[in-house]
Amino acid sequence: RTITLTALGVTKEQLPEISMPTIDGIRSYPDKKENNNAVRDGRVVSQQTASYALLPQKPGTYTLPKIQLPWFNTKMNRIS
């Protein structure tokens, strides 16, 4: 599973940490996270990518949980 977070107007150090919740019946092995930022059209664009190898421990169907990050939306002036 690969999760990519992209944000405009913040540095890579300001991005919240992406983490994988524990999933019953699945072992999770994280890869090294990548943090990058660049300037486009005079604005900072930052990105964090986190990848995880997920290994089921028994046959069956699994539903991966959604990943939510609290974030302050400067246009709406509230936490999203």
Side-chain angles (χ1 to χ4, degrees), residues 10-71:
V10 297
T11 65
K12 62 184 178 182
E13 293 81 16
Q14 292 174 301
L15 293 174
E17 192 68 24
I18 298 172
S19 61
M20 174 67 70
T22 302
I23 305 167
D24 287 338
I26 296 181
R27 288 190 185 155
S28 174
Y29 299 95
D31 289 330
K32 185 177 177 184
K33 293 180 182 169
E34 293 183 33
N35 290 304
N36 299 299
N37 60 350
V39 177
R40 292 188 192 136
D41 298 326
R43 299 185 76 182
V44 176
V45 178
S46 298
Q47 191 170 67
Q48 182 182 136
T49 302
S51 295
Y52 300 86
L54 303 177
L55 300 174
Q57 299 305 295
K58 57 185 177 181
T61 301
Y62 296 90
T63 301
L64 300 179
K66 67 180 175 178
I67 305 295
Q68 288 186 297
L69 300 170
W71 193 257

Side-chain angles (χ1 to χ4, degrees), residues 66-77:
K66 67 180 175 178
I67 305 295
Q68 288 186 297
L69 300 170
W71 193 257
F72 187 79
N73 185 323
T74 57
K75 290 189 179 192
M76 299 180 76
N77 205 25

